[in-house]
Amino acid sequence: HLGNYHRSIGYGVFTVCVGSWRVACNVDPGNVTEQTIARYDNYPYDDFLYKKNNNICPTLNIRKIARSKYDRRTGGRHIPRFDHYCGWLDSPIGEENYRYFLFFLFVHQSMVVYGSAVLYIILRGKVFEAQAETGSLLLLSSAALVTSILWRHVWITTALFVMLTTTAVLGSFFAFHMWLIYKGLTTNE
């Protein structure tokens, strides 16, 4: 039900997904130190979440800059423009690796959309095969035929359901991050 070119596309999509994951995992989020503080001190204090009068980190004894956060999970450092800790990448997301995290999300969102489309095409082909086998839709109503196909191909149906659910969840998460960028915020804020 699919053209042979989908095999090459599938390998390409898989390669880009793994590549984007590896890059996003390996790019450092940044580290605020006495030597790099001038580089990352670009944001104003809001006196709500980031207070200017409480600006010394008790652990590292350096000035806390706005939007930075101490990260004890990865060796105790201040991450500039800290967004969140990503369990999928096993890394904090900060100023230096945020764009790679977004690329990772975009690539994986594209993959699940493509996977959903491929599974839909396969399942639709199975429905057309069943219609051709019956010779006419007079024997079965369309709803009964589709239900029969879905149960006969439960693995394809289940995979399609999982892919569509993942598309919705990952798409919402990606849209949320686009909204945060539009508003100039981070997940931490």
Side-chain angles (χ1 to χ4, degrees), residues 17-18 53 67 113 119 151 166 189:
C17 284
V18 171
N53 60 358
R67 293 186 163 187
V113 167
L119 288 169
W151 281 109
T166 306
E189 295 167 331

Side-chain angles (χ1 to χ4, degrees), residues 5 7 27 60 72 80 88 114 117 123 132 137 169 178 182 188:
Y5 60 90
R7 180 172 297 203
V27 174
L60 299 177
R72 61 192 143 166
W88 295 103
Y114 174 72
L123 202 55
L137 289 179
V169 171
M178 292 293 106
Y182 173 73
N188 189 46

Side-chain angles (χ1 to χ4, degrees), residues 49-67:
L49 189 58
Y50 307 107
K51 299 181 190 299
K52 202 168 199 169
N53 60 358
N54 185 16
N55 63 353
I56 300 295
C57 173
T59 308
L60 299 177
N61 286 326
I62 62 171
R63 184 168 61 92
K64 285 201 287 188
I65 60 175
R67 293 186 163 187

Side-chain angles (χ1 to χ4, degrees), residues 9-22 103-104 107-108:
I9 291 173
Y11 288 130
V13 166
F14 178 77
T15 302
V16 171
C17 284
V18 171
S20 72
W21 175 76
R22 284 192 50 98
F103 181 68
F104 166 76
V107 165
H108 283 77

